[in-house]
């Protein structure tokens, strides 16, 4: 397993696995917990069809290193947070499905990582929270933007300002997670889901679908629809050629 700054990477077939590897809490050393060039290297494999982000051991992540954050000077801290934002945006914009596999504790920056993923699978004993207000701050890596997108404004305000710990079953009802796994089995459930989504699909189909879905949020309607048509025609031409060769 490749590793950098307490974060590891491995491949299981066509599925990449990023592991937050500082147990038991898997605290993030920095908001930019993976250097962007390393993430690009890890996700550049031509056969990669999906990615899972998990925590080593019992927990997903308790979030950022508060001692380090509060001891940083203002310019340094701003740079750290901006780099963290850019990293999570890079994860969100990957052309393969990214699943957060959440076992037990997923707090603060850990939850912001999970929210940047396309799909969230949590074990039935998982706990999710933004406890930053209890420390005199607030989410700083996209939490106030991404949580309302899945849970709505009022639920997000209540959760963030209340510093509430949300059990996995309630998180499912709120839309924060997408799938509930048996106790401590988030990774196994995520792997099964991702393999079902991608195992019999050509890499190009997986990547084009993810790109088209992202276009729906990022491009004007006409452009997104035109790109969908272009990608469909590209795939159809490749499939037609494959079938002709199969018949010959």
């Amino acid at each position: 397993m490749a590793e950098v700054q307490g974060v590891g990477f491995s491949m299981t077939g066509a599925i990449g696995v990023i592991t937050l590897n500082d147990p038991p809490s898997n605290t993030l050393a920095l908001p930019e917990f993976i250097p962007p060039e390393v993430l690009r290297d890890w996700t550049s494999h031509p056969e990669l069809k999906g990615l899972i982000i998990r925590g080593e051991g019992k927990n997903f992540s308790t979030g950022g290193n508060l001692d380090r954050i509060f001891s940083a000077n203002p310019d340094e801290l701003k740079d750290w947070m901006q780099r963290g934002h850019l990293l999570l945006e890079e994860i969100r914009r990957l052309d393969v499905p990214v699943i957060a596999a959440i076992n037990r504790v997923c707090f603060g920056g850990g939850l912001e990582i999970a929210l940047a993923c396309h799909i969230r699978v949590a074990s039935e004993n998982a706990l999710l929270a933004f406890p930053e207000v209890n420390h005199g701050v607030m989410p700083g890596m996209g939490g106030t933007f991404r949580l309302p997108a899945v849970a709505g404004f009022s639920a997000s305000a209540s959760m963030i300002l209340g510093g509430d710990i949300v059990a996995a079953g309630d998180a499912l009802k709120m839309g924060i997670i997408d799938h509930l796994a048996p106790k401590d089995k988030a990774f196994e459930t995520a792997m099964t889901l991702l393999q079902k989504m991608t195992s019999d699909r050509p890499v190009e189909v997986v990547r084009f679908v993810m790109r088209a879905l992202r276009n729906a949020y990022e491009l004007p309607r006409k452009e997104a629809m035109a790109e969908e048509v272009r990608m469909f025609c590209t795939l159809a031409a490749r499939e037609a050629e494959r079938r002709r060769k199969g018949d010959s």
Side-chain angles (χ1 to χ4, degrees):
M1 180 171 71
E3 185 163 335
V4 58
Q5 295 181 347
V7 180
F9 178 78
S10 60
M11 289 279 291
T12 299
I15 306 301
V17 180
I18 290 176
T19 302
L20 307 176
N21 194 17
D22 186 21
S25 61
N26 296 318
T27 302
L28 307 174
L30 288 169
E32 185 187 73
F33 60 98
I34 308 170
E37 64 275 13
V38 172
L39 177 67
R40 290 175 204 133
D41 179 59
W42 287 350
T43 56
S44 64
H45 194 288
E47 298 304 314
L48 183 74
K49 293 183 181 180
L51 187 67
I52 296 174
I53 301 181
R54 64 177 299 193
E56 179 65 29
K58 293 182 178 181
N59 301 307
F60 185 78
S61 174
T62 58
N65 185 326
L66 291 179
D67 290 338
R68 192 167 191 178
I69 287 172
F70 291 138
S71 64
N73 68 59
D75 289 338
E76 184 179 44
L77 181 59
K78 184 178 180 180
D79 180 63
W80 288 352
M81 301 309 294
Q82 288 174 334
R83 287 174 178 271
H85 265 283
L86 292 173
L87 175 64
L88 293 190
E89 271 297 286
E90 193 149 340
I91 289 171
R92 184 190 68 81
R93 299 191 83 257
L94 287 171
D95 283 344
V96 296
V98 183
I99 299 182
I102 304 166
N103 279 334
R104 303 203 183 192
V105 174
C106 180
F107 288 177
L111 182 50
E112 288 176 302
I113 293 171
L115 287 168
C117 297
H118 305 127
I119 300 170
R120 286 161 293 284
V121 174
S123 63
E124 61 187 14
N125 58 332
L127 300 171
L128 296 82
F130 279 123
E132 287 89 343
V133 294
N134 299 324
H135 303 282
V137 289
M138 59 181 280
M141 287 206 304
T144 61
F145 181 84
R146 294 192 176 97
L147 184 63
V150 295
F153 184 93
S154 59
S156 299
S158 297
M159 181 177 172
I160 293 173
L161 284 172
D164 298 333
I165 295 176
V166 178
D170 292 328
L172 181 65
K173 294 174 185 176
M174 295 168 68
I176 301 172
I177 66 170
D178 305 292
H179 299 274
L180 200 60
K183 182 179 178 180
D184 296 329
K185 295 294 183 181
F187 175 70
E188 293 83 352
T189 303
M191 181 63 76
T192 298
L193 174 62
L194 200 46
Q195 288 175 337
K196 180 182 177 183
M197 292 168 62
T198 65
S199 62
D200 294 329
R201 316 284 183 251
V203 172
E204 294 85 357
V205 170
V206 173
R207 292 176 181 253
F208 276 21
V209 166
M210 295 305 296
R211 198 174 303 163
L213 290 171
R214 189 179 72 232
N215 287 346
Y217 288 91
E218 295 184 351
L219 296 181
R221 178 187 175 90
K222 275 191 173 182
E223 288 183 38
M225 298 290 274
E227 272 296 287
E228 183 189 65
V229 169
R230 183 191 66 78
M231 287 188 280
F232 174 87
C233 292
T234 299
L235 292 174
R238 291 176 184 175
E239 179 63 13
E241 178 65 20
R242 185 190 69 80
R243 294 186 181 203
R244 280 194 295 271
K245 288 180 179 179
D247 291 339
S248 60

